[in-house]
Amino acid sequence: MVSIGTTWDGTSGFISDRFGAVLRIAVPLIFVPMALLGNLMPLVGRDATPANIVFGLATLAMSIVTLWGNLALTALVIEPVDSSGAIRIGAARLPAKLLVAVIELGIVVVAAAPIFVAFALGGIVPGQMPAPGAMPTIAFGPAVFALVYSLFFTVLVLILFARLLLVDPALVAERRGVSALPRSLRLTRGLTLKLVGVLLLYIIVSQVATMATRTVFGTILGLFALGAGPVNFATIITAILVALVQTGFSILAVIFAARLFVAVRDVREAVIELA
């Protein structure tokens, strides 16, 4: 049986042993894109102006770079390579990751569709929202359905994310494509409740740390802000500090998943050999 606690211990041990290599990947491929994302997001508007399109494309590009960084960190754990080799492996596996990410996003969107259908039936239609300051109203039946289904959807997404936790390691270690999705489902069989618990704890701790950093430093630095607008001295420094916190949690999550993949795969293969 795979121990989650042992995997966490191995994660911290790996980071300590390979700290330099981890930083050589995480700084350019995770921290820098996240810091840029934090400063670009406030600039992206809803109107299809040239500026908004450019900012939107830049935001998408930075998100893709972070996926590359995650794959590179995964390769550093699984493959006998240095940071440069891991970055090259991450780049080679990035197209497959993008395809899998689109499929995962499509699954989530389809699963969430009944919520938007309920809103539409209740009289809330995108693009036809009430005037600013007015509260939208929704019929009782669709409102109850949307509430109940939203709770179900939240649980479903948690379970789905837990079961697909090993997709990236499967993409890297076994050079898989879309088949990494069912591979992760097979490997996480019997670990769902444990992984959901770990995922919930991770989400709570990481979000609290992120919000605390954004609130505290945003407030303090806001007192000394130079300039106005959505991006100024305070927002830039705050975005950098928030990106630093997010990078630390991303490193933990990626390396944990990679080490869990190795542990689960070894256990499954041992069982098959004994059978």
Side-chain angles (χ1 to χ4, degrees):
M1 177 63 69
V2 176
S3 170
I4 300 297
T6 301
T7 304
W8 271 120
D9 292 340
T11 298
S12 59
F14 179 88
I15 295 174
S16 178
D17 294 340
R18 304 291 302 276
F19 188 69
V22 169
L23 283 186
R24 285 191 288 273
I25 294 172
V27 170
L29 297 183
I30 299 179
F31 170 69
V32 171
M34 282 187 172
L36 291 174
L37 276 172
N39 287 293
L40 285 171
M41 290 299 291
L43 298 175
V44 181
R46 295 183 178 181
D47 299 330
T49 62
N52 287 339
I53 292 174
V54 171
F55 288 135
L57 291 175
T59 299
L60 177 62
M62 291 302 100
S63 300
I64 292 175
V65 172
T66 60
L67 294 180
W68 178 14
N70 291 342
L71 293 172
L73 278 178
T74 301
L76 186 68
V77 176
I78 294 176
E79 304 286 348
V81 293
D82 59 8
S83 57
S84 298
I87 289 173
R88 288 193 294 271
I89 293 173
R93 303 308 303 152
L94 185 57
K97 172 59 181 178
L98 292 176
L99 176 59
V100 169
V102 169
I103 294 173
E104 291 175 327
L105 178 61
I107 293 172
V108 173
V109 169
V110 170
I115 298 175
F116 299 102
V117 172
F119 284 149
L121 293 175
I124 298 179
V125 181
Q128 300 180 12
M129 299 300 288
M135 291 294 293
T137 58
I138 183 172
F140 179 76
V144 172
F145 174 83
L147 176 61
V148 174
Y149 188 83
S150 295
L151 295 174
F152 167 77
F153 174 74
T154 301
V155 174
L156 177 65
V157 169
L158 280 173
I159 294 174
L160 183 64
F161 281 1
R163 295 297 303 274
L164 297 180
L165 185 65
L166 304 184
V167 166
D168 282 7
L171 285 170
V172 171
E174 300 176 351
R175 303 299 190 265
R176 292 175 179 267
V178 177
S179 63
L181 294 168
R183 174 62 166 163
S184 180
L185 293 176
R186 289 194 299 271
L187 289 175
T188 55
R189 187 182 299 121
L191 296 173
T192 302
L193 290 180
K194 291 182 179 180
L195 292 179
V196 167
V198 170
L199 186 60
L200 275 174
L201 179 62
Y202 174 83
I203 291 173
I204 292 171
V205 174
S206 62
Q207 290 303 308
V208 167
T210 299
M211 287 189 294
T213 303
R214 181 178 288 113
T215 301
V216 172
F217 288 97
T219 301
I220 294 175
L221 292 172
L223 299 175
F224 308 96
L226 300 177
V231 177
N232 53 52
F233 175 79
T235 62
I236 291 173
I237 300 301
T238 301
I240 291 173
L241 294 173
V242 168
L244 186 62
V245 173
Q246 292 174 329
T247 299
F249 281 103
S250 294
I251 291 171
L252 282 174
V254 172
I255 294 179
F256 170 80
R259 292 192 63 87
L260 181 65
F261 171 85
V262 174
V264 172
R265 182 189 60 182
D266 292 346
V267 169
R268 303 288 195 219
E269 290 178 351
V271 171
I272 292 174
E273 291 177 358
L274 288 175

